[in-house]
Amino acid sequence: MSNPLIQVQNLCKTYSNDGVDTRALCGATFDIQKGEFISIMGPSGSGKSTLMQMLGFLDRPTEGKYFFEGRDTFTFDEDMLAKIRNKKIGFVFQSFNLLSRTTVFENVELPLLYDEKPDKSNTKKVMDALLAVGMEHRANYFSNQLSGGEKQRVAIARALVNDPEVIFADEPTGNLDSKSGLQVMRILQKLNDNGRTVILVTHETYTAEHAKRIIYVKDGKIVADDPVKNRRIAADGEELLK
């Protein structure tokens, strides 16, 4: 087996406020291989979002070790972290985080504009990302003209546009109805089937079980790390046994 894409050892995060230390997460130890689909699951306040933020370089651990692509991330300076967030990682959030008075195309293009050497092929990259989520026909719409499900699909396209190593999805179905949520999960599942690494954060069992492995977090600790037993969701929403 190749080296893990992500490897963490006794990862901890402690927040300090007015001299009071609060340990949000500690003792996280696991590997994630390239191409896996992982759910990080737990109730509100369990530490799952804290873990996702550290894995996605949105926050730094206070203790432990974190290796990304075999490199010790504690040696990364802020410039390196910014480059990794832009090039290696795509983020999808519950609240979509789209610019409302901006077209779908411009929202998806945004990560490309941070490149030090802009690529003339930006248009193709954006349209390919929109095609991957079935939103190419909405390229010239403004994001405030879209439904919730369409907004989340655009957010996934934006996460894809730089061809990242891993996609982090934090409660991506939390603001959606069940039908739209299923469409979003099918897209993430298809991306994983095509080799993309996906890390999903959720408190919902049904959503978590779209993954192939679930890491359970409770009271700031990992309490289980189990495979999902042969469960996949069909195109019509019914369960399939592989």
Side-chain angles (χ1 to χ4, degrees):
M1 184 176 291
S2 60
N3 290 331
L5 174 66
I6 288 172
Q7 184 177 31
V8 297
Q9 301 170 358
N10 295 315
L11 209 63
C12 299
K13 180 65 181 182
T14 301
Y15 294 99
S16 296
N17 187 22
D18 294 331
V20 178
D21 290 343
T22 302
R23 179 160 283 186
L25 183 86
C26 200
T29 299
F30 56 85
D31 296 348
I32 297 176
Q33 299 292 331
K34 182 178 175 63
E36 282 200 88
F37 190 164
I38 306 290
S39 284
I40 299 174
M41 186 179 176
S44 297
S46 62
K48 63 184 186 297
S49 291
T50 297
L51 178 57
M52 188 277 288
Q53 288 168 1
M54 290 191 291
L55 296 179
F57 303 107
L58 297 174
D59 201 357
R60 286 202 185 247
T62 47
E63 299 174 49
K65 293 183 178 294
Y66 176 16
F67 296 90
F68 184 82
E69 295 184 322
R71 302 171 65 188
D72 185 351
T73 64
F74 281 79
T75 66
F76 295 171
D77 60 19
E78 291 303 319
D79 287 342
M80 176 63 74
L81 291 174
K83 287 179 180 178
I84 289 176
R85 284 193 297 266
N86 191 44
K87 289 292 188 181
K88 298 283 188 177
I89 293 173
F91 294 102
V92 180
F93 297 102
Q94 178 177 345
S95 56
F96 318 131
N97 291 354
L98 300 181
L99 302 177
S100 60
R101 296 182 180 180
T102 306
T103 66
V104 165
F105 183 98
E106 290 166 335
N107 269 283
V108 175
E109 185 186 28
L110 191 60
L112 300 174
L113 302 181
Y114 290 99
D115 198 331
E116 295 175 355
K117 298 179 180 178
D119 194 323
K120 294 180 181 179
S121 66
N122 276 9
T123 297
K124 184 178 187 306
K125 289 180 179 179
V126 172
M127 293 310 297
D128 285 349
L130 287 172
L131 185 64
V133 300
M135 287 295 291
E136 69 282 359
H137 61 297
R138 294 283 194 260
N140 294 319
Y141 280 56
F142 288 96
S143 61
N144 57 4
Q145 295 176 300
L146 305 178
S147 68
E150 288 175 326
K151 288 178 181 178
Q152 195 60 292
R153 287 155 68 186
V154 172
I156 294 172
R158 183 182 57 194
L160 284 174
V161 75
N162 259 331
D163 192 26
E165 287 291 333
V166 56
I167 292 175
F168 288 94
D170 190 2
E171 302 281 7
T173 63
N175 284 336
L176 305 178
D177 59 49
S178 58
K179 181 179 179 180
S180 297
L182 179 60
Q183 289 176 333
V184 166
M185 292 311 303
R186 283 205 304 260
I187 290 170
L188 292 175
Q189 206 168 62
K190 183 178 178 181
L191 292 171
N192 176 250
D193 289 342
N194 291 332
R196 190 82 56 176
T197 306
V198 179
I199 299 176
L200 169 73
V201 174
T202 184
H203 67 277
E204 299 172 337
T205 300
Y206 177 77
T207 302
E209 287 180 344
H210 283 74
K212 298 174 183 175
R213 173 181 159 203
I214 302 178
I215 296 173
Y216 297 88
V217 183
K218 183 178 180 181
D219 298 329
K221 296 181 179 180
I222 292 177
V223 296
D225 184 347
D226 300 319
V228 177
K229 296 181 180 179
N230 298 322
R231 180 168 173 171
R232 302 291 278 167
I233 306 302
D236 60 2
E238 295 181 357
E239 295 177 16
L240 288 177
L241 290 178
K242 294 188 76 176

